[in-house]
Amino acid sequence: MRETAPDLARFVPTAEAHLETGAVVVIDVLRAFTTAAYAFGAGAWHIYLVGTVEEALAFKASTPGALAMGEDRGRRVDGFDFANSPTEVANADLHDRVIVHRTSAGTQGVVAATGARRLWCAGLVNATATATAVRMAALGLPAYVITGWSGTASGSGADDLATAELIERARLGEPLRAAETARFVATSEEAARTLSIGEGHVHPQDVERAVTVDAFAFAMEVVRTPIGLRLDRVDAG
């Protein structure tokens, strides 16, 4: 666990997400919650978040009109309608569609955050809106789940940590350092690894879209429902 002072926000790996009981923000900038934001931007009504490929396919099969998006180890899944690609969903007509989303990192953080009183998902594209929502919730210092960080040196999650730190600066009313953060994420090891997965799984513009700070003026909050973890678009105001 990253060490923090008692009066500072916490930054934790997915393995510790279940310990957080207040305001929790799950971060996956490359690419889960960037993709989710662009899906809402393309008109999606609800996005349900699940932990396994099997759950996603079962949800799609049992929900008339539902679409599946996401990946397994970065790659498009047979039976999914979309890869975990913000560019792909941005170019789709998702008006009033229900989507089930499964990824190897981002949705795992959401599933793990079982004790959160309120739970948001974020990337750089909805950073300020997320910070505003967390601040207005008035639940005290937030915890940020760094889904790309395993708590070991080999699982640095530097791109997600930089994103979380920008959101925290926004929450505190400090300068965002948006250009600096966007450049860091775009040139990170995770960005290079993502792009290397290749055509059909990753679009060449996915990283560019992911580092567009505040492309959207809405937060994305998770609601626990009888049929699963539903991610809702929450517009400012």
Side-chain angles (χ1 to χ4, degrees), residues 42-221:
W45 182 33
H46 292 310
I47 299 174
Y48 286 86
L49 307 176
V50 299
T52 69
V53 169
E54 292 75 18
E55 287 175 292
L57 292 173
F59 185 99
K60 178 183 174 181
S62 64
T63 307
L67 302 171
M69 70 182 184
E71 48 78 17
D72 185 31
R73 300 182 183 180
R75 296 182 170 274
R76 178 189 296 272
V77 177
D78 289 343
F80 279 28
D81 300 276
F82 302 102
N84 190 39
S85 168
T87 305
E88 188 175 344
V89 299
N91 293 327
D93 180 6
L94 300 179
H95 184 68
D96 287 343
R97 300 302 293 266
V98 173
I99 297 173
V100 60
H101 194 191
R102 186 273 174 189
T103 68
S104 300
T107 69
Q108 307 305 315
V110 173
V111 171
T114 53
R117 182 171 174 186
R118 292 185 68 178
L119 182 60
W120 294 268
C121 297
L124 289 175
V125 294
N126 67 333
T128 296
T130 302
T132 300
V134 173
R135 185 172 62 249
M136 292 182 66
L139 293 176
L141 295 171
Y144 296 92
V145 178
I146 311 303
T147 61
W149 177 34
S150 66
T152 67
S154 60
S156 68
D159 55 317
D160 289 337
L161 180 58
T163 299
E165 289 173 337
L166 182 146
I167 295 170
E168 181 62 5
R169 289 193 293 272
R171 187 184 73 87
L172 296 173
E174 298 175 354
L176 294 187
R177 294 169 21 207
E180 173 188 338
T181 304
R183 185 166 53 251
F184 177 84
V185 173
T187 58
S188 66
E189 289 184 8
E190 181 61 19
R193 189 199 67 79
T194 296
L195 291 172
S196 73
I197 297 171
E199 185 178 356
H201 309 287
V202 179
H203 191 283
Q205 294 179 351
D206 281 354
V207 171
E208 180 182 345
R209 288 183 183 272
V211 300
T212 305
V213 178
D214 290 339
F216 300 106
F218 56 77
M220 300 186 296
E221 185 167 1

